[in-house]
Amino acid sequence: MRRVKQHQLPFVFADSPTGSGCDESTGEPAGKAYLLQTAKARKVPSFTTPADDTSRLLNDVVSSRNLAAALLHVASKKGAPGVDGRSIGEVVAVAHRLLPCLRRDLLSGRYHPGDIRRKWIPKPGGGERGLGIPNVVDRWVQQAIHQVLSPLFEPSFHGSSHGFRPGRGARTSLAEAQENLGEERTWVASLDLSKFFDRVNHQRLLSRLALRIDDGRLLCLIHRLLKAKVVLPDGTRVLSVEGTPQGGPLSPLLSNVVLDELDQELERRGLHFVRYADDVNIFVGSERAGHRVMTSISRFIVRRMRLAINEKKSIVARPEDVHILGFSLHPQADGQVEVHLSARSCQRLATRIRELTPRNWGASLARCIFRVNRYLGGWLGYFRLCTEGGAQLFKRYDARIRRRIRAIVVRQKKRPRHLYRHLRARGVTHGAAAKAAWSRRGPWYTSCRWGLHRAYPNAWFHERMTSLWHDWSRHQAPRGVSGQLNLFGPEIPT
């Protein structure tokens, strides 16, 4: 039997006592069935506490119905185990015994969160981002709190905040940015908060929560979750004195609670802005106004909110030179605003294509195409938000990928006579095959010869490989009446 720390409810993972009536033969399916039944149970109305009373929110958090729905949500994410090693399947399997114990400990105040496992993941722009992985039970508790607090705080958040909010995302953020760009606002002051999730001040966060939460028990529980120690990859345990570790279900909501103060300040100053998590883009009428706003808002963030500004990523520039969620905005003469890939996104895509199609590829061509298709499918799922003018660049990347695949064919054949026979077998004429095979140039030059195009035409690639342009054309984003991205697209429920 595996032992865990006392504050992490070790007894619920032990074998069922004799005569308990708990049948563990079915394992996780039985636990999941219990959760589904509990989550769908009818909610009993309260006749003693008003609906707007926030002094007993912990009772709503620990209700069996809310806890069951929270664990089902955590299980649907299929996350990794925390430092205790307990997987989601193990927790779900004993949910019928764990839920009452967890509920009792939360109400009595005996519950204490376990340590958080730190995992470093590379950032696209260089460096590493710290990801915090709480234990499954702690993620369960955080999700239960999130389900109760989200309806309370969500209506009060600013309309220009789009990160980690239901019905909002990159589409709505870009749509509002397009609307903000007009004749009077042609410059963007882009601010990036440095390591925001690691530098949130706990006392300021709790004070913001206390403005709407009167239940001291719930505030104490959130404080304990914030203070949970972090276990680094080398085994070192670090005390958390600030920050909300990324990776927990509650962290996104808490970040919006903190940054709502910035949203309200920008609104008070009458500024037009779009915020997605810790990326803030303010639209102004001139470069001088942009620098003035940048200086003033940076001072507010540092002195009032006790956060730091990433000076390298914070700039004042034209919208086409600003990286907004991987895109750049290009105002047109007719008043429309085209959405293109940003320079940073183009560079990342080109680098990834080179990594997926190396010249010295030694496996089969089908394996290489499979890897490329898997990446491009996921990439296009996000970047198909480009408008038609920006998507024209997809054609160039399609052609580049096809040429790199043809170069792999040339390299794999090694000898000219082997390439010549291969081309002839694919129906290429003697002259075209000979000119391609015995070319004195390298594989990259040979890949664009007529013989290679005849052996591997574009139609051959269209049958086997994802085409960015054709897939974008088939699944292009909904347009508004003006042809721009629709602010009320499919991400916002109607």
Side-chain angles (χ1 to χ4, degrees), residues 154-174:
E154 179 64 29
S156 65
F157 289 152
H158 197 276
S160 295
S161 170
H162 298 269
F164 310 126
R165 297 184 62 186
R168 293 174 179 266
R171 179 188 301 280
T172 57
S173 181
L174 289 173

Side-chain angles (χ1 to χ4, degrees), residues 207-494:
S207 64
R208 297 284 300 179
L209 292 172
L211 295 177
R212 289 182 171 270
I213 300 176
D214 297 327
D215 194 338
R217 301 172 301 167
L218 181 56
L219 292 175
C220 181
L221 176 60
I222 296 176
H223 193 201
R224 289 179 180 177
L225 292 170
L226 293 174
K227 290 292 186 181
K229 294 184 178 180
V230 177
V231 179
L232 301 180
D234 61 357
T236 305
R237 298 174 74 239
V238 180
L239 180 66
S240 298
V241 295
E242 60 181 3
T244 58
Q246 290 179 270
L250 190 58
S251 181
L253 176 63
L254 297 182
S255 68
N256 277 330
V257 171
V258 173
L259 292 175
D260 187 62
E261 182 180 4
L262 174 61
D263 297 340
Q264 300 303 329
E265 178 65 18
L266 294 173
E267 175 70 19
R268 187 185 67 82
R269 299 187 184 192
L271 297 173
H272 296 265
F273 69 97
V274 173
R275 182 179 66 80
Y276 190 97
D278 55 348
D279 294 327
V280 186
N281 295 282
I282 307 172
F283 300 86
V284 295
S286 65
E287 183 178 10
R288 182 177 180 181
H291 286 290
R292 183 175 64 251
V293 169
M294 175 79 74
T295 302
S296 177
I297 296 300
S298 297
R299 187 184 305 115
F300 174 84
I301 293 174
V302 174
R303 296 182 180 179
R304 180 72 178 272
M305 302 183 67
R306 302 180 186 178
L307 299 173
I309 301 292
N310 190 332
E311 301 292 345
K312 295 182 179 180
K313 294 184 178 180
S314 300
I315 61 172
V316 176
R318 293 286 189 180
E320 53 266 25
D321 298 325
V322 177
H323 179 86
I324 304 178
L325 301 178
F327 302 91
S328 62
L329 304 179
H330 294 248
Q332 306 298 309
D334 59 355
Q336 301 295 317
V337 180
E338 292 281 357
V339 180
H340 293 226
L341 295 178
S342 68
R344 200 185 308 173
S345 297
C346 291
Q347 183 179 4
R348 292 174 186 171
L349 177 59
T351 301
R352 187 58 180 153
I353 289 174
R354 286 195 299 269
E355 294 173 351
L356 292 173
T357 57
R359 301 279 183 85
N360 58 349
W361 177 257
S364 66
L365 208 60
R367 177 61 182 172
C368 181
I369 292 175
F370 171 78
R371 286 170 17 115
V372 173
N373 286 343
R374 184 173 57 182
Y375 173 75
L376 293 182
W379 185 90
L380 190 63
Y382 177 79
F383 285 100
R384 69 183 180 200
L385 295 178
C386 288
T387 53
E388 186 173 359
Q392 294 294 328
L393 188 63
F394 293 174
K395 298 178 181 179
R396 293 176 54 185
Y397 286 109
D398 286 338
R400 175 60 63 90
I401 294 171
R402 291 193 296 266
R403 185 173 179 182
R404 292 190 67 85
I405 295 294
R406 294 185 182 110
I408 290 176
V409 174
V410 176
R411 187 67 178 266
Q412 286 186 341
K413 298 309 173 184
K414 295 183 179 180
R415 297 183 181 276
R417 65 174 181 270
H418 296 162
L419 178 59
Y420 170 80
R421 294 169 185 168
H422 177 75
L423 296 179
R424 288 288 288 161
R426 296 194 61 83
V428 182
T429 62
H430 165 72
K435 288 181 180 179
W438 279 279
S439 172
R440 295 181 179 271
R441 309 289 288 270
W444 183 246
Y445 176 83
T446 306
S447 64
C448 67
R449 299 300 296 265
W450 167 247
L452 268 298
H453 277 270
R454 183 68 179 85
Y456 296 92
N458 292 352
W460 184 88
F461 286 97
H462 290 164
E463 295 176 357
R464 297 166 174 81
M465 182 173 290
T466 299
S467 170
L468 294 177
W469 170 252
H470 286 281
D471 282 19
W472 178 89
S473 301
R474 190 167 60 251
H475 305 104
Q476 55 181 314
R479 299 288 181 259
V481 177
S482 62
Q484 300 188 148
L485 285 172
N486 188 2
L487 182 59
F488 302 98
E491 291 189 14
I492 297 184
T494 55

Side-chain angles (χ1 to χ4, degrees), residues 134-155:
N135 294 333
V136 177
V137 175
D138 297 330
R139 297 207 295 269
W140 181 6
V141 174
Q142 290 189 34
Q143 179 61 31
I145 297 174
H146 181 277
Q147 292 174 176
V148 172
L149 294 189
S150 182
L152 181 64
F153 284 92
E154 179 64 29

